[in-house]
Amino acid sequence: MKNEFTLTIYSEDQIRLISKLSSMFLRKQIQILSLNMSICQIENMYRHTILINETLDQVINLTAQIEKVIEVYKCYYSLNEEIVFKQTALFKIPTALVMQDPETEVLFKENDLKISEIQKEYTVLQAIGTDDEIVYLTEKLKPLGLIEFVKSSRIALSKSDKGFCV
């Protein structure tokens, strides 16, 4: 049975890393749902967070291959219950709506929406949440005249009290 897994990979700054990873995922016909690369707590080390939907056996095999073939420091896999994960979304809506409709203030408070920028024609709102929460917000904002929106890839931390050490 397929489940959502988050892969966390620690590596040095490798120019070809993304190419190697994408080739491996392509060969195995695994779709990447989300990909994030960032610096981490260890100097000169990078953290790659990849979201996939696969079987446990496939993920165990994939994790071992990433560590061996691609030569990264470590590759972990986690189910959603084992991690804390969030995404950020930006929504652009008409400013007139924000100024005239009292219901928008309630919507902002209920969903912890922050105003990032206000211009004459549009207002940019920021939300942080899970993918489901962001989809819900998008559906709530569409009838209000949603102009544009974008969401980030997943960022995640293990619920374990231990972190990665070199």
Side-chain angles (χ1 to χ4, degrees), residues 16-79:
R16 293 186 191 96
L17 178 68
I18 296 302
S19 176
K20 289 177 183 180
L21 283 171
S22 64
S23 293
M24 182 179 284
F25 281 76
L26 185 61
R27 269 193 321 274
K28 294 180 173 292
Q29 297 183 332
I30 297 173
Q31 182 181 6
I32 297 173
L33 303 174
S34 174
L35 170 66
N36 182 37
M37 296 181 303
S38 65
I39 60 172
C40 67
Q41 71 276 12
I42 303 167
E43 193 173 330
N44 298 323
M45 189 76 72
Y46 292 83
R47 180 186 182 115
H48 311 270
T49 306
I50 302 173
L51 178 63
I52 60 173
N53 194 25
E54 262 315 317
T55 64
L56 178 59
D57 290 341
Q58 182 78 337
V59 170
I60 291 170
N61 183 20
L62 178 67
T63 302
Q65 283 189 333
I66 289 172
E67 285 186 356
K68 186 175 182 176
V69 176
I70 300 182
E71 298 174 4
V72 298
Y73 282 102
K74 191 68 182 163
C75 180
Y76 298 101
Y77 63 89
S78 308
L79 288 165

Side-chain angles (χ1 to χ4, degrees), residues 108-157:
F108 292 1
K109 286 181 181 178
E110 285 178 350
N111 296 284
D112 201 22
L113 285 165
K114 309 267 188 271
I115 296 175
S116 290
E117 184 172 334
I118 299 178
Q119 297 294 324
K120 184 177 180 182
E121 299 82 22
Y122 65 86
T123 297
V124 176
L125 307 172
Q126 176 185 344
I128 297 172
T130 64
D131 191 51
D132 291 341
E133 292 166 341
I134 291 172
V135 167
Y136 170 79
L137 269 172
T138 305
E139 293 304 315
K140 292 284 262 185
L141 291 169
K142 275 182 183 176
L144 302 177
L146 180 63
I147 299 168
E148 187 178 7
F149 99 99
V150 64
K151 68 177 178 174
S152 70
S153 54
R154 174 180 283 196
I155 57 171
L157 291 173

